[in-house]
Structures are given as structure tokens and as C-alpha cells.
Amino acid sequence: MNYKISNKQVFEQAQLRPVSDVQFTEEELQIGMKLAVSKADETLSLYLVDVNGQKKFDVRWDDSSELFNGWYSAWDNFSWCLNIVNNEK
């Protein structure tokens, strides 16, 4: 595995069912809840964020960020980025 899971419970929930019931701490409301991070590049990570009361997935890499409504599209993008990072190393 070329990534570390930061929040196993929510990571697994996101794969199976909606995450609309996930509760955030005050800090997570501000910066998001980290779900996974690349082992090769700590700047590549997958977050669950709250955007105007809706949960979205945020793939962050260096200074870029891309929001996704669904798990599968976010995971596809995160995996694509992981492949790039691992091929560079």
C-alpha cells in the first residue's frame, strides 16, 4: 500500500455508504478530516470536508485542491495522483 489511512472508520464508511452523518470537530470544520495520505509525498492527501453543510471529498496535492461529491471519483483522482508520485520516486 502506497498510502496511510488516517481515519480508518470514516475511510471505510465512505466506501460503503454516505458520509453525511460524519461529525466534525471544530478544527475539522475548518481544515477538513484527513482520510489518507501518500507515503511518498506528504503533500498528497484525501480529505473529507464540509462545504456549506454538504460533505465532499477533497484531493490535495502541493498547492492544488480538487473537490468531489462522490467517493469513487475522489478515490480515482487520489489513486491517479499516487501513481504519479510513486513513478517519480
Side-chain angles (χ1 to χ4, degrees):
M1 219 168 28
N2 50 4
Y3 60 92
K4 297 180 283 192
I5 297 173
S6 301
N7 187 323
K8 185 176 182 184
Q9 180 180 357
V10 177
F11 183 87
E12 290 176 349
Q13 177 180 337
Q15 296 173 58
L16 301 172
R17 60 187 172 89
V19 290
S20 56
D21 64 339
V22 172
Q23 298 295 312
F24 284 162
T25 64
E26 279 298 316
E27 182 180 5
E28 289 168 341
L29 280 171
Q30 300 298 318
I31 63 170
M33 177 186 291
K34 188 185 291 186
L35 301 181
V37 62
S38 166
K39 288 181 179 177
D41 184 346
E42 294 280 322
T43 67
L44 173 57
S45 53
L46 174 63
Y47 278 81
L48 180 65
V49 296
D50 185 282
V51 179
N52 299 325
Q54 285 194 321
K55 302 290 191 307
K56 295 185 183 275
F57 297 96
D58 187 9
V59 176
R60 301 175 185 172
W61 190 9
D62 286 328
D63 60 351
S64 67
S65 172
E66 190 167 354
L67 290 174
F68 297 90
N69 291 323
W71 168 259
Y72 293 108
S73 53
W75 185 252
D76 284 347
N77 185 270
F78 182 69
S79 297
W80 180 81
C81 293
L82 280 172
N83 287 334
I84 292 172
V85 165
N86 290 319
N87 287 336
E88 289 177 351
K89 300 293 176 190

